[in-house]
Amino acid sequence: MLVDGIGSVARGLAARTLLPSEICAASLQRIKQTEELNAYITVVEEKARLRARQGDKRCESGKILPLDGVTIAVKDNFCTAGVRTTCASKMLEDFVPRYTATVIQRLERSGAIVIGKTNMDEFAMGAGATDSRFGPSKNPWRYERAGESIAGDFYITGGSSGGSAVAVASGTCFGAVGSDTGGSVRNPSARCGVFALKPSYGALSRHGLIPLTHSLDVPGLIGLTIDDLALMFSICAGVDPLDSTTIRTNFSGLKLHDEPALNGLRVGIPQEYHCPGMQDEVIKLWTDVADLLEKLGCEVVAVSLPHTQYSLQCYSVLNCCDVASNLACYDGLEFGCRTESMESTEDLFAETRLKGFSDVVRGRILSGNFFLLKGNYDKFFRQAMRLRRLIYSDFETVFRNVDLLLAPVTLTEAILYSEWSKKDNRTRATLEDYCTQPANLAGLPALSLPCRLSRNGLPLGLQLIGPALSEARLMNTGKRIELEMDFQHSCK
Amino acid sequence: MGPTRVPLVIFRALSSKARSCVPQEPVFRKLKEHPRVEIPIQTVHLLERLSLVRFGEAEAVTRLEEAVKFAQAIFDVDTSNVEPMHTVLENRSVPLREDRPQRWDPKLVLNNVTKMEEGFIVAPPGNIALKEDERLNDLRS
């Protein structure tokens, strides 16, 4: 029931063969069945059942909302009133916000039922959903067979929104909200075999999303079909007075074509996205889909984004500088973890932050303050911002000649946890975010599509990247690829 | 939970134009090798004070040095005459909301405070600078 997409829910409710409370119960049951995957940090059972019953009443009175009966999971860095929001950190382990993030509020207002808060890398710093206070999330694909050589081993989910991708891939809900600063919804979705949209910067409100890097963060959506992404996106998009970086868009009522025609579409293949370490099967898939698009009437051309290979270094500076400032509010006084120290205020802060943050988080704060030192500010911070403009301009130039770009998402299929944990957080990020990070620096929308299984039986995906606010074309094109590739979801 | 069906997609083996657009070898220039960075102990102490975060262990300083070494690749790009980019919305007007007071129940706002007395948040004495972590001096020497 939970694997056919939102369309099937709407039909079931309209035909009165299904009630929101039944769907909610099925979701909660599925969460229990798949508990081992560690997708959720907090399950909000009571509240979900209550909201589902309100949905039942609407269905009985014939006033069905577009997302009635649709269970969704929310990454644990979005504030939810009355429900603890941890960022997968000890620092916020007991933090209960008093307000709800705008995107979540808009989904709920349309009937969606939030069933839980999902696991992630602490403060979204990571690409595996393995660096969490609550332990790693596990990929549902090949789960039973992953531990063949090392008992208890598993394939990583990708990250940082790994819990959200698993929640959808394992059939516990119809859609999920994540956040994407360097690839954090696209990466785990590609590895868990679900669809994800990283919208244009400013299309979705960040109010209530605990910030990582203000000028790069966007809420992202994860779903079982691109139609579902389009529906959730059209509901969430638009100006929010509580986020001054939201922009006017025209996505309300966005509906994709039944079988989108791609005649005459110009698709660019960014050459620099083939970087060292890319799996041959990813290249093969990329090549095959380029062929497919040509067969469907697209004009496929090679394009160059020459500054691509500096994107991660640029990001490492911008991210750490923002982190140093964004995480300054966690001092143990107003909220969050607090140590016993009463020696001095500064000592309390330092002790609290030593105890509350992992070494990855502390490392980024310290690096950020290093890059921001008086003598380093121009050398590192401003240079990174200049480089950002060059990366942005690369895209501007290619989009004069092509409508969309087709590129890999991750360099490889999902990796075994035993392999993954041999490398440190930063080294992993330099491999993992290579193909996803540039779209964040340029504020562009990107769509991650699972396409086929590898020889190992793990999902492989590609992404489409478009100019700012080209979500409609992006998703229509993606939908045609979805129809042609006919990727079979794991839970069907 | 495991997959039940492997989708089979068969493509005609044609050497089409699109096929030749996807590079079959990595397109990557080797980055310049930058020297190791050594962060002096005074800077380590300064960063702890500025960050109000403890390195905690000598390895954390090494990790910072590695992060800085990694970031130095940005020096290799000529950015003369390029203006720094703060945000992609630089050419749009982003209106601020009106600064109007909202009513909140103070109890709700203070709900997450650990230590309170008579409606005030309790903090230890201020104006005392963070003590230097002397262990780091030994570890670094």
Side-chain angles (χ1 to χ4, degrees):
Chain A
M1 184 168 71
L2 292 170
V3 294
D4 285 330
I6 296 174
S8 68
V9 176
R11 282 191 297 276
L13 298 187
R16 304 206 169 207
T17 55
L18 207 55
L19 278 175
S21 57
E22 292 169 344
I23 302 172
C24 180
S27 270
L28 292 166
Q29 195 192 357
R30 184 76 184 147
I31 292 177
K32 286 207 181 77
Q33 284 169 356
T34 57
E35 216 168 29
E36 285 172 83
L37 300 176
N38 203 21
Y40 291 85
I41 291 175
T42 308
V43 180
V44 286
E45 188 164 343
E46 283 307 304
K47 217 177 150 210
R49 287 190 199 276
L50 182 76
R51 285 193 48 82
R53 281 198 296 275
Q54 293 166 351
D56 288 359
K57 284 197 191 117
R58 282 193 293 272
C59 291
E60 279 154 18
S61 64
K63 290 177 190 145
I64 308 177
L65 295 171
L67 294 180
D68 258 330
V70 174
T71 46
I72 59 166
V74 176
K75 188 177 182 179
D76 214 15
N77 58 350
F78 284 88
C79 288
T80 40
V83 177
R84 78 168 175 159
T85 299
T86 68
C87 264
S89 177
K90 182 173 174 55
M91 187 57 92
L92 292 177
E93 214 166 24
D94 302 310
F95 174 64
V96 181
R98 308 316 312 173
Y99 62 96
T100 298
T102 300
V103 286
I104 311 305
Q105 211 174 30
R106 289 185 180 176
L107 291 169
E108 285 188 320
R109 215 191 292 147
S110 291
I113 305 161
V114 173
I115 50 162
K117 303 295 294 290
T118 57
N119 201 6
M120 55 188 280
D121 292 298
E122 184 174 346
F123 283 98
M125 297 180 195
T130 48
D131 293 350
S132 159
R133 163 82 177 151
F134 302 93
S137 285
K138 299 170 186 177
N139 200 315
W141 288 85
R142 302 278 319 245
Y143 179 66
E144 287 88 357
R145 302 189 56 189
E148 274 168 357
S149 50
I150 301 175
D153 209 357
F154 56 89
Y155 287 100
I156 61 149
T157 63
S160 65
S161 314
S164 287
V166 175
V168 176
S170 58
T172 67
C173 58
F174 294 94
V177 180
S179 62
D180 194 313
T181 309
S184 279
V185 297
R186 286 166 284 161
N187 173 310
S189 297
R191 289 196 155 152
C192 294
V194 287
F195 294 91
L197 175 69
K198 175 244 174 258
S200 308
Y201 183 80
L204 298 191
S205 168
R206 293 181 294 115
H207 172 67
L209 164 62
I210 297 173
L212 176 60
T213 311
H214 280 289
S215 71
L216 308 173
D217 294 345
V218 289
L221 301 167
I222 300 173
L224 291 164
T225 68
I226 297 180
D227 278 322
D228 288 358
L229 294 181
L231 177 61
M232 291 192 286
F233 178 65
S234 68
I235 286 166
C236 294
V239 172
D240 174 14
L242 296 174
D243 175 2
S244 67
T245 60
T246 48
I247 50 182
R248 219 171 287 283
T249 56
N250 194 15
F251 292 116
S252 65
L254 170 71
K255 225 181 149 330
L256 305 181
H257 304 141
D258 288 337
E259 194 184 283
L262 305 184
N263 294 17
L265 192 77
R266 297 165 306 168
V267 178
I269 305 292
Q271 303 295 293
E272 291 81 359
Y273 280 53
H274 185 164
C275 62
M278 197 167 269
Q279 188 178 344
D280 58 345
E281 283 179 279
V282 174
I283 312 286
K284 174 80 169 59
L285 172 67
W286 192 11
T287 313
D288 289 347
V289 174
D291 271 356
L292 170 72
L293 289 175
E294 192 177 56
K295 232 170 47 185
L296 295 171
C298 299
E299 189 194 325
V300 182
V301 292
V303 297
S304 172
L305 297 163
H307 295 96
T308 301
Q309 72 178 83
Y310 298 101
S311 170
L312 289 172
Q313 287 88 346
C314 171
Y315 172 62
S316 78
V317 176
L318 297 180
N319 172 266
C320 290
C321 292
D322 249 39
V323 164
S325 139
N326 287 334
L327 271 61
C329 62
Y330 303 106
D331 55 28
L333 286 183
E334 303 91 339
F335 48 80
C337 152
R338 172 174 177 158
T339 51
E340 289 301 313
S341 166
M342 284 301 272
E343 203 179 299
S344 73
T345 305
E346 290 203 354
D347 190 65
L348 170 72
F349 290 3
E351 288 302 317
T352 294
R353 289 153 71 79
L354 176 60
K355 191 175 150 209
F357 293 139
S358 69
D359 54 356
V360 172
V361 177
R362 273 183 288 128
R364 290 206 197 181
I365 295 172
L366 290 160
S367 304
N369 280 319
F370 177 86
F371 297 135
L372 292 169
L373 287 175
K374 207 190 283 173
N376 291 340
Y377 188 85
D378 192 64
K379 211 164 100 185
F380 285 97
F381 187 49
R382 285 174 64 85
Q383 172 69 0
M385 286 196 291
R386 288 188 200 99
L387 189 47
R388 179 182 185 182
R389 184 176 300 282
L390 293 175
I391 291 165
Y392 176 87
S393 307
D394 280 354
F395 282 105
E396 230 180 10
T397 310
V398 300
F399 284 131
R400 282 189 208 122
N401 300 311
V402 298
D403 300 310
L404 295 174
L405 299 171
L406 176 72
V409 184
T410 55
L411 275 56
T412 65
E413 63 190 12
I415 301 163
L416 280 170
Y417 181 71
S418 52
E419 286 298 313
W420 176 257
S421 41
K422 285 177 192 159
K423 295 192 183 93
D424 70 84
N425 182 285
R426 191 179 49 76
T427 315
R428 290 176 201 147
T430 60
L431 291 170
E432 288 299 309
D433 297 343
Y434 195 90
C435 298
T436 46
Q437 176 49 235
N440 294 81
L441 287 171
L444 305 174
L447 180 67
S448 172
L449 317 125
C451 292
R452 66 161 76 128
L453 294 182
S454 70
R455 284 186 290 268
N456 275 334
L458 292 165
L460 294 172
L462 293 175
Q463 64 176 332
L464 292 169
I465 305 171
L469 301 177
S470 68
E471 275 85 347
R473 182 192 279 153
L474 202 64
M475 287 193 279
N476 270 313
T477 310
K479 184 174 172 183
R480 186 60 192 267
I481 299 175
E482 176 186 8
L483 292 170
E484 299 287 334
M485 298 305 285
D486 192 27
F487 179 80
Q488 295 299 307
H489 189 256
S490 66
C491 300
K492 255 183 189 163
Chain B
M1 245 161 355
T4 51
R5 207 184 106 196
V6 179
L8 201 68
V9 183
I10 300 165
F11 288 89
R12 278 180 300 162
L14 284 176
S15 61
S16 72
K17 194 171 141 284
R19 180 159 286 264
S20 61
C21 289
V22 175
Q24 299 299 311
E25 293 300 323
V27 178
F28 191 84
R29 287 181 304 274
K30 205 174 173 304
L31 291 174
K32 223 190 314 173
E33 187 63 29
H34 283 274
R36 217 185 90 99
V37 179
E38 206 168 308
I39 295 172
I41 188 72
Q42 301 90 313
T43 310
V44 169
H45 289 311
L46 174 66
L47 288 174
E48 284 204 338
R49 274 216 58 197
L50 291 172
S51 310
L52 292 174
V53 162
R54 295 285 192 195
F55 278 90
E57 52 182 14
E59 289 76 43
V61 182
T62 313
R63 279 199 296 273
L64 169 62
E65 289 169 343
E66 279 161 9
V68 176
K69 182 175 187 286
F70 173 72
Q72 283 174 328
I74 66 173
F75 301 161
D76 302 347
V77 183
D78 179 9
T79 58
S80 44
N81 303 320
V82 180
E83 276 298 304
M85 182 174 219
H86 293 83
T87 167
V88 295
L89 303 183
E90 58 188 8
N91 294 320
R92 288 176 182 264
S93 73
V94 282
L96 297 175
R97 77 184 126 120
E98 274 181 59
D99 188 12
R100 245 182 281 158
Q102 283 183 323
R103 272 195 183 284
W104 277 91
D105 180 353
K107 273 203 204 104
L108 288 182
V109 178
L110 297 171
N111 209 37
N112 284 295
V113 179
T114 312
K115 244 187 184 148
M116 288 237 320
E117 244 175 70
E118 295 174 24
F120 289 92
I121 299 173
V122 181
N127 292 328
I128 303 171
L130 185 68
K131 275 201 193 123
E132 282 185 7
D133 189 349
E134 279 159 18
R135 287 170 311 154
L136 285 173
N137 292 337
D138 305 336
L139 288 168
R140 297 289 293 170
S141 55

